[in-house]
Amino acid sequence: MLDDTDMTHLRRCVALASEALDHGDEPFGSVLVGADGEVLAEDRNRIAGGDATRHPEFALARWAAEHLPPAARATATVYTSGEHCPMCAAAHAWVGLGRIVYASSSAQLTAWLNEWGIAPPPVRPLPIQEIAPSIEVDGPAPGLDDEVKALQRRCHA
Ligand SMILES: [Zn+2]
């Protein structure tokens, strides 16, 4: 279940995704929130420079590994505009982060790309729990998923 706090953080993720698109990157944004509700870090997609692994969820996993003790990682939440890809889901689980909340799912992204005739990505967009079965996952967020779809549409237009 998503509450008002979740929606606030997800809206920030969508704003970061929009900012990424404005910079020529792909529209994905993520926020790392501690157990006390403090925003610890945020990032957006940065692949335009040629490194296709520059996903925000991956960056936040590395940030957490560098800055947070294991107990703080386990109780932190990662909010993200689009469900983690397998690379990022693995990184999230390897560093021992906690709950994930996404505005739109990988299944939705796959359906949208299909609808628009866009070739699928080189890595299969599996559900997070196929990669990291013990992670608590919530999403999508009705209403915000449509905003993500509009950003993806602009990205692939
Ligand atoms: Zn990723």
Side-chain angles (χ1 to χ4, degrees), residues 57-147:
E57 303 94 331
F58 199 17
L60 292 183
R62 288 204 147 135
W63 186 94
E66 205 172 320
H67 295 95
L68 299 179
R73 291 180 221 161
T75 53
T77 299
V78 171
Y79 293 88
T80 191
S81 62
E83 183 175 4
H84 289 43
C85 76
M87 172 183 75
C88 295
H92 182 101
W94 280 124
V95 304
L97 281 165
R99 180 179 176 230
I100 292 174
V101 186
Y102 55 75
S104 62
S105 69
S106 295
Q108 286 178 303
L109 179 60
T110 299
W112 299 336
L113 295 179
N114 249 327
E115 180 186 330
W116 301 327
I118 310 289
V123 174
R124 187 180 297 179
L126 298 170
I128 288 165
Q129 284 170 332
E130 290 282 312
I131 307 296
S134 60
I135 304 292
E136 182 189 351
V137 178
D138 282 308
L144 273 184
D145 54 356
D146 294 328
E147 291 183 34

Side-chain angles (χ1 to χ4, degrees), residues 6-94:
D6 293 330
M7 292 302 288
T8 298
H9 293 308
L10 286 176
R11 274 192 282 273
R12 176 62 186 150
C13 293
V14 175
L16 286 163
S18 180
E19 184 188 310
L21 189 57
D22 290 342
H23 285 79
D25 297 294
E26 291 192 348
F28 296 95
S30 309
V31 177
L32 175 67
V33 178
D36 61 357
E38 185 191 352
V39 174
L40 300 172
E42 57 179 38
D43 208 348
R44 61 171 180 82
N45 180 284
R46 299 179 187 278
I47 69 163
D51 181 354
T53 69
R54 297 285 304 273
H55 298 184
E57 303 94 331
F58 199 17
L60 292 183
R62 288 204 147 135
W63 186 94
E66 205 172 320
H67 295 95
L68 299 179
R73 291 180 221 161
T75 53
T77 299
V78 171
Y79 293 88
T80 191
S81 62
E83 183 175 4
H84 289 43
C85 76
M87 172 183 75
C88 295
H92 182 101
W94 280 124

